[in-house]
Coordinates of all heavy atoms in Angstrom, one line a residue:
Y378 N 14.4 -18.3 -14.2 CA 13.1 -17.6 -14.3 C 12.6 -17.5 -15.7 O 11.5 -17.4 -16.0 CB 13.0 -16.3 -13.5 CG 13.5 -15.0 -14.0 CD1 12.9 -14.4 -15.1 CD2 14.5 -14.4 -13.3 CE1 13.4 -13.1 -15.6 CE2 15.0 -13.1 -13.8 CZ 14.5 -12.6 -14.9 OH 14.8 -11.3 -15.3
K379 N 13.5 -17.4 -16.7 CA 13.1 -17.4 -18.1 C 12.4 -18.8 -18.5 O 11.4 -18.8 -19.1 CB 14.3 -17.2 -19.0 CG 14.1 -17.2 -20.5 CD 15.3 -16.7 -21.2 CE 15.1 -17.0 -22.7 NZ 15.4 -18.3 -23.1
S380 N 12.9 -19.9 -18.0 CA 12.3 -21.1 -18.2 C 10.9 -21.3 -17.4 O 10.0 -21.8 -17.8 CB 13.3 -22.2 -17.7 OG 12.7 -23.5 -17.8
D381 N 11.0 -20.8 -16.1 CA 9.9 -20.9 -15.3 C 8.7 -20.2 -15.8 O 7.5 -20.6 -15.7 CB 10.2 -20.4 -13.9 CG 9.2 -20.8 -12.8 OD1 8.5 -21.9 -13.0 OD2 9.0 -20.1 -11.8
L382 N 8.9 -19.0 -16.4 CA 7.8 -18.2 -17.0 C 7.6 -18.4 -18.5 O 6.9 -17.8 -19.1 CB 8.2 -16.7 -16.7 CG 8.2 -16.3 -15.3 CD1 8.8 -14.9 -15.1 CD2 6.7 -16.3 -14.8
E383 N 8.4 -19.4 -19.1 CA 8.2 -19.7 -20.5 C 8.3 -18.5 -21.4 O 7.4 -18.2 -22.2 CB 6.9 -20.4 -20.7 CG 6.8 -21.7 -19.9 CD 5.5 -22.4 -20.1 OE1 4.5 -21.8 -20.7 OE2 5.3 -23.6 -19.7
S384 N 9.4 -17.7 -21.2 CA 9.6 -16.6 -21.9 C 10.8 -16.6 -22.9 O 11.7 -17.5 -22.7 CB 9.8 -15.3 -21.0 OG 10.0 -14.2 -21.7
F385 N 10.8 -15.9 -24.0 CA 11.9 -16.0 -25.0 C 13.0 -14.9 -24.8 O 14.1 -15.1 -25.1 CB 11.3 -15.9 -26.4 CG 10.4 -14.8 -26.6 CD1 10.8 -13.5 -27.1 CD2 9.0 -15.0 -26.5 CE1 9.9 -12.5 -27.3 CE2 8.1 -14.0 -26.7 CZ 8.6 -12.8 -27.2
D386 N 12.7 -13.8 -24.2 CA 13.6 -12.8 -23.8 C 13.5 -12.4 -22.4 O 12.5 -12.6 -21.7 CB 13.3 -11.4 -24.7 CG 13.6 -11.5 -26.1 OD1 14.3 -12.5 -26.5 OD2 13.2 -10.7 -26.9
A387 N 14.6 -11.9 -21.8 CA 14.6 -11.6 -20.3 C 15.7 -10.6 -20.0 O 16.6 -10.4 -20.9 CB 14.8 -12.9 -19.5
R388 N 15.6 -10.0 -18.8 CA 16.6 -9.0 -18.4 C 16.7 -9.0 -16.9 O 15.7 -9.2 -16.2 CB 16.2 -7.7 -18.9 CG 17.1 -6.5 -18.5 CD 16.4 -5.2 -18.7 NE 15.9 -4.9 -20.0 CZ 16.5 -4.3 -21.0 NH1 17.6 -3.7 -20.7 NH2 15.9 -4.2 -22.2
I389 N 17.9 -8.8 -16.4 CA 18.1 -8.7 -15.0 C 19.1 -7.5 -14.8 O 20.1 -7.3 -15.5 CB 18.8 -9.9 -14.3 CG1 17.8 -11.1 -14.2 CG2 19.3 -9.5 -12.9 CD1 18.5 -12.3 -13.5
Q390 N 18.7 -6.6 -13.9 CA 19.6 -5.4 -13.6 C 19.7 -5.3 -12.1 O 18.7 -5.4 -11.4 CB 19.0 -4.1 -14.2 CG 19.9 -2.9 -14.0 CD 19.4 -1.6 -14.5 OE1 18.7 -0.9 -13.9 NE2 19.6 -1.4 -15.9
M391 N 20.9 -5.1 -11.7 CA 21.2 -5.0 -10.2 C 21.9 -3.7 -9.9 O 23.1 -3.5 -10.5 CB 22.0 -6.3 -9.7 CG 21.4 -7.6 -10.0 SD 22.5 -8.9 -9.8 CE 22.9 -8.8 -8.1
R392 N 21.3 -3.0 -9.0 CA 21.9 -1.6 -8.7 C 22.4 -1.6 -7.2 O 21.6 -2.1 -6.4 CB 20.9 -0.4 -8.9 CG 20.6 -0.2 -10.4 CD 19.6 0.9 -10.5 NE 18.4 0.8 -9.9 CZ 18.0 1.5 -8.8 NH1 18.9 2.3 -8.2 NH2 16.8 1.2 -8.2
F393 N 23.5 -1.0 -7.0 CA 24.0 -0.9 -5.6 C 25.1 0.2 -5.5 O 25.5 0.8 -6.6 CB 24.7 -2.3 -5.2 CG 25.6 -2.8 -6.2 CD1 27.0 -2.5 -6.2 CD2 25.3 -3.6 -7.2 CE1 27.9 -2.9 -7.1 CE2 26.1 -4.2 -8.1 CZ 27.5 -3.8 -8.1
S394 N 25.4 0.6 -4.3 CA 26.4 1.5 -4.1 C 27.7 0.9 -3.6 O 27.7 0.3 -2.5 CB 26.0 2.6 -3.1 OG 26.8 3.6 -2.9
F395 N 28.8 1.0 -4.4 CA 30.0 0.3 -4.1 C 31.0 1.2 -3.4 O 31.5 2.2 -4.0 CB 30.6 -0.2 -5.5 CG 31.9 -1.0 -5.4 CD1 31.8 -2.4 -5.0 CD2 33.1 -0.5 -5.6 CE1 32.9 -3.1 -4.9 CE2 34.2 -1.3 -5.6 CZ 34.1 -2.6 -5.1
P396 N 31.5 0.8 -2.2 CA 32.4 1.6 -1.5 C 33.8 1.3 -1.9 O 34.2 0.1 -2.1 CB 32.2 1.3 -0.1 CG 31.7 -0.1 -0.1 CD 31.0 -0.4 -1.4
M397 N 34.6 2.3 -2.0 CA 36.1 2.1 -2.4 C 36.9 3.2 -1.6 O 36.6 4.3 -1.7 CB 36.3 2.2 -3.8 CG 37.7 1.9 -4.4 SD 37.7 1.9 -6.2 CE 39.5 1.8 -6.5
K398 N 37.9 2.7 -0.8 CA 38.7 3.6 -0.1 C 39.6 4.5 -1.0 O 40.3 3.9 -1.8 CB 39.5 2.9 1.0 CG 40.2 3.9 2.0 CD 40.8 3.1 3.2 CE 39.7 2.8 4.1 NZ 40.2 2.3 5.4
V399 N 39.6 5.8 -0.8 CA 40.3 6.8 -1.6 C 41.2 7.6 -0.7 O 40.7 8.2 0.3 CB 39.4 7.6 -2.5 CG1 40.2 8.6 -3.4 CG2 38.5 6.7 -3.4
E400 N 42.4 7.8 -1.1 CA 43.3 8.7 -0.3 C 43.2 10.2 -0.7 O 42.9 10.5 -1.8 CB 44.8 8.3 -0.5 CG 45.2 7.0 0.2 CD 46.6 6.6 0.1 OE1 47.4 7.5 -0.4 OE2 47.0 5.5 0.6
S401 N 43.3 11.0 0.3 CA 43.4 12.4 0.0 C 44.6 12.8 -0.8 O 45.5 12.1 -1.0 CB 43.3 13.3 1.3 OG 44.5 12.9 2.1
L402 N 44.6 14.1 -1.3 CA 45.7 14.5 -2.3 C 47.0 14.7 -1.6 O 48.0 14.4 -2.1 CB 45.2 15.7 -3.0 CG 44.0 15.6 -4.0 CD1 43.5 16.9 -4.5 CD2 44.3 14.6 -5.1
R403 N 47.0 15.3 -0.3 CA 48.3 15.6 0.3 C 48.4 15.3 1.7 O 49.5 15.1 2.3 CB 48.6 17.1 0.1 CG 49.0 17.4 -1.4 CD 49.3 18.9 -1.6 NE 49.7 19.1 -3.0 CZ 49.6 20.3 -3.6 NH1 49.1 21.3 -3.0 NH2 49.9 20.4 -4.9
S404 N 47.3 15.2 2.5 CA 47.3 15.1 3.9 C 47.6 13.6 4.4 O 47.9 13.4 5.6 CB 46.1 15.6 4.5 OG 44.9 14.7 4.1
G405 N 47.5 12.7 3.5 CA 47.6 11.3 3.9 C 46.3 10.7 4.5 O 46.4 9.5 4.9
L406 N 45.3 11.4 4.6 CA 44.0 10.9 5.0 C 43.4 10.0 4.0 O 43.7 10.1 2.8 CB 43.1 11.9 5.5 CG 43.6 12.9 6.6 CD1 42.6 14.0 6.9 CD2 43.7 12.1 7.9
S407 N 42.4 9.1 4.4 CA 41.7 8.3 3.4 C 40.2 8.2 3.9 O 39.9 8.3 5.0 CB 42.4 7.0 3.2 OG 42.3 6.3 4.4
G408 N 39.3 8.0 2.9 CA 37.9 7.8 3.3 C 37.2 7.0 2.2 O 37.8 6.8 1.1
Y409 N 36.0 6.6 2.4 CA 35.3 5.8 1.5 C 34.5 6.7 0.4 O 33.7 7.5 0.8 CB 34.3 4.8 2.1 CG 35.0 3.6 2.7 CD1 35.3 3.6 4.1 CD2 35.4 2.6 1.8 CE1 35.9 2.4 4.6 CE2 36.0 1.4 2.3 CZ 36.3 1.4 3.7 OH 36.9 0.3 4.2
Q410 N 34.8 6.5 -0.8 CA 33.9 7.0 -1.9 C 33.0 6.0 -2.3 O 33.3 4.8 -2.4 CB 34.9 7.4 -3.0 CG 34.3 8.2 -4.1 CD 34.2 9.6 -3.8 OE1 33.2 10.1 -3.2 NE2 35.2 10.5 -4.2
Y411 N 31.7 6.4 -2.5 CA 30.7 5.4 -3.0 C 30.3 5.7 -4.4 O 30.0 6.7 -4.8 CB 29.5 5.6 -2.0 CG 29.6 5.0 -0.7 CD1 30.3 5.7 0.3 CD2 29.2 3.7 -0.4 CE1 30.5 5.1 1.6 CE2 29.5 3.1 0.8 CZ 30.1 3.8 1.8 OH 30.3 3.3 3.1
Y412 N 30.3 4.6 -5.2 CA 30.1 4.6 -6.6 C 28.7 3.9 -6.9 O 28.6 2.8 -6.5 CB 31.1 4.0 -7.3 CG 32.5 4.7 -7.1 CD1 33.4 4.2 -6.1 CD2 33.0 5.7 -7.9 CE1 34.6 4.9 -5.8 CE2 34.2 6.4 -7.6 CZ 35.0 5.9 -6.7 OH 36.2 6.5 -6.4
D413 N 27.8 4.6 -7.7 CA 26.6 4.0 -8.1 C 26.9 3.1 -9.3 O 27.4 3.6 -10.3 CB 25.6 5.0 -8.5 CG 25.0 5.8 -7.2 OD1 25.1 5.2 -6.1 OD2 24.5 6.8 -7.4
I414 N 26.7 1.8 -9.1 CA 27.0 0.8 -10.1 C 25.8 0.0 -10.4 O 25.0 -0.3 -9.5 CB 28.2 0.0 -9.7 CG1 29.5 0.7 -9.7 CG2 28.4 -1.3 -10.6 CD1 30.7 0.0 -9.2
A415 N 25.6 -0.5 -11.6 CA 24.5 -1.4 -12.0 C 25.1 -2.5 -13.0 O 25.9 -2.2 -13.9 CB 23.4 -0.6 -12.7
L416 N 24.7 -3.7 -12.6 CA 25.0 -4.9 -13.5 C 23.8 -5.2 -14.3 O 22.7 -5.3 -13.8 CB 25.5 -6.1 -12.8 CG 26.7 -5.9 -11.8 CD1 27.0 -7.2 -11.1 CD2 27.9 -5.4 -12.6
E417 N 23.9 -5.4 -15.6 CA 22.8 -5.7 -16.5 C 23.1 -6.9 -17.3 O 24.1 -6.8 -18.1 CB 22.4 -4.5 -17.3 CG 21.0 -4.6 -18.0 CD 20.7 -3.2 -18.6 OE1 21.5 -2.4 -18.8 OE2 19.5 -3.1 -18.9
L418 N 22.2 -7.9 -17.4 CA 22.3 -9.0 -18.3 C 21.0 -9.0 -19.1 O 19.8 -9.0 -18.6 CB 22.4 -10.3 -17.5 CG 22.4 -11.5 -18.4 CD1 23.7 -11.6 -19.3 CD2 22.3 -12.9 -17.5
V419 N 21.2 -8.8 -20.4 CA 20.0 -8.7 -21.4 C 20.1 -9.8 -22.3 O 21.1 -10.1 -23.0 CB 20.1 -7.4 -22.1 CG1 18.8 -7.3 -23.0 CG2 20.1 -6.2 -21.1
E420 N 18.9 -10.6 -22.5 CA 18.9 -11.6 -23.5 C 17.8 -11.2 -24.5 O 16.6 -10.9 -24.2 CB 18.6 -13.0 -23.0 CG 18.4 -14.0 -24.1 CD 18.3 -15.4 -23.6 OE1 18.8 -15.7 -22.6 OE2 17.6 -16.2 -24.4
R421 N 18.1 -11.1 -25.9 CA 17.2 -10.8 -26.9 C 17.5 -11.6 -28.1 O 18.6 -11.6 -28.6 CB 17.3 -9.3 -27.2 CG 16.3 -8.9 -28.2 CD 16.3 -7.4 -28.5 NE 15.4 -6.9 -29.5 CZ 15.2 -5.7 -29.9 NH1 16.0 -4.7 -29.6 NH2 14.3 -5.4 -30.9
D422 N 16.5 -12.3 -28.6 CA 16.6 -13.1 -29.8 C 17.8 -14.2 -29.6 O 18.5 -14.5 -30.5 CB 16.8 -12.3 -31.0 CG 15.7 -11.4 -31.3 OD1 14.5 -11.8 -31.0 OD2 15.9 -10.4 -31.9
G423 N 18.0 -14.7 -28.4 CA 18.9 -15.7 -28.1 C 20.3 -15.2 -27.9 O 21.2 -15.9 -27.6
V424 N 20.5 -13.9 -28.0 CA 21.9 -13.2 -27.8 C 21.9 -12.5 -26.5 O 21.0 -11.7 -26.0 CB 22.1 -12.2 -28.9 CG1 23.5 -11.5 -28.7 CG2 22.1 -12.9 -30.2
R425 N 22.9 -12.9 -25.7 CA 23.0 -12.2 -24.3 C 24.2 -11.2 -24.3 O 25.2 -11.3 -24.9 CB 23.4 -13.3 -23.3 CG 22.1 -14.2 -23.1 CD 22.4 -15.1 -21.9 NE 21.2 -15.9 -21.5 CZ 21.0 -16.8 -20.6 NH1 22.2 -17.1 -20.0 NH2 19.9 -17.4 -20.5
K426 N 23.8 -10.1 -23.6 CA 24.8 -9.0 -23.4 C 25.1 -8.7 -21.9 O 24.1 -8.7 -21.2 CB 24.4 -7.8 -24.2 CG 24.2 -8.0 -25.7 CD 23.9 -6.7 -26.4 CE 23.9 -6.9 -27.9 NZ 23.6 -5.6 -28.6
K427 N 26.3 -8.5 -21.5 CA 26.7 -8.2 -20.2 C 27.1 -6.8 -20.1 O 28.1 -6.4 -20.8 CB 27.7 -9.2 -19.7 CG 27.4 -10.6 -19.8 CD 28.6 -11.5 -19.4 CE 28.2 -12.9 -19.6 NZ 29.3 -13.8 -19.3
I428 N 26.6 -6.0 -19.4 CA 26.7 -4.5 -19.3 C 27.0 -4.1 -17.9 O 26.4 -4.5 -17.0 CB 25.5 -3.7 -19.9 CG1 25.3 -4.2 -21.3 CG2 25.7 -2.2 -19.8 CD1 23.9 -3.7 -21.9
I429 N 28.0 -3.2 -17.7 CA 28.2 -2.5 -16.5 C 27.9 -1.0 -16.6 O 28.5 -0.4 -17.6 CB 29.6 -2.8 -15.9 CG1 29.9 -4.3 -15.7 CG2 29.8 -2.0 -14.7 CD1 31.3 -4.5 -15.2
H430 N 27.3 -0.4 -15.6 CA 27.0 1.0 -15.6 C 27.7 1.6 -14.4 O 27.7 1.0 -13.3 CB 25.5 1.3 -15.6 CG 24.7 0.7 -16.6 ND1 24.5 1.3 -17.8 CD2 24.0 -0.5 -16.6 CE1 23.6 0.6 -18.6 NE2 23.3 -0.6 -17.9
L431 N 28.4 2.8 -14.6 CA 29.1 3.4 -13.5 C 28.8 4.9 -13.5 O 28.9 5.5 -14.6 CB 30.6 3.2 -13.6 CG 31.5 4.2 -12.8 CD1 31.3 3.8 -11.3 CD2 32.9 4.1 -13.2
D432 N 28.4 5.5 -12.4 CA 28.3 6.9 -12.2 C 29.6 7.4 -11.6 O 29.9 7.0 -10.4 CB 27.1 7.3 -11.4 CG 25.8 7.3 -12.2 OD1 25.9 6.8 -13.4 OD2 24.7 7.8 -11.7
Y433 N 30.3 8.3 -12.3 CA 31.6 8.8 -11.7 C 31.3 10.3 -11.5 O 30.9 11.1 -12.4 CB 32.7 8.6 -12.7 CG 34.0 9.2 -12.4 CD1 34.7 8.6 -11.4 CD2 34.5 10.3 -13.1 CE1 36.0 9.1 -11.0 CE2 35.8 10.8 -12.8 CZ 36.5 10.2 -11.7 OH 37.7 10.7 -11.4

Side-chain angles (χ1 to χ4, degrees):
Y378 80 65
K379 178 171 171 280
S380 173
D381 195 26
L382 293 167
E383 299 179 346
S384 180
F385 47 90
D386 289 344
R388 179 193 307 259
I389 290 179
Q390 187 180 92
M391 302 169 59
R392 294 185 295 109
F393 50 90
S394 186
F395 182 76
M397 185 174 173
K398 187 167 281 190
V399 178
E400 291 189 1
S401 59
L402 294 173
R403 287 181 180 154
S404 67
L406 299 175
S407 63
Y409 280 102
Q410 190 80 273
Y411 283 82
Y412 300 90
D413 290 339
I414 291 178
L416 304 181
E417 188 171 20
L418 177 65
V419 181
E420 178 172 331
R421 183 178 181 184
D422 297 331
V424 177
R425 288 187 175 176
K426 294 185 177 182
K427 303 172 184 177
I428 299 168
I429 300 179
H430 305 272
L431 163 70
D432 278 10
Y433 177 74

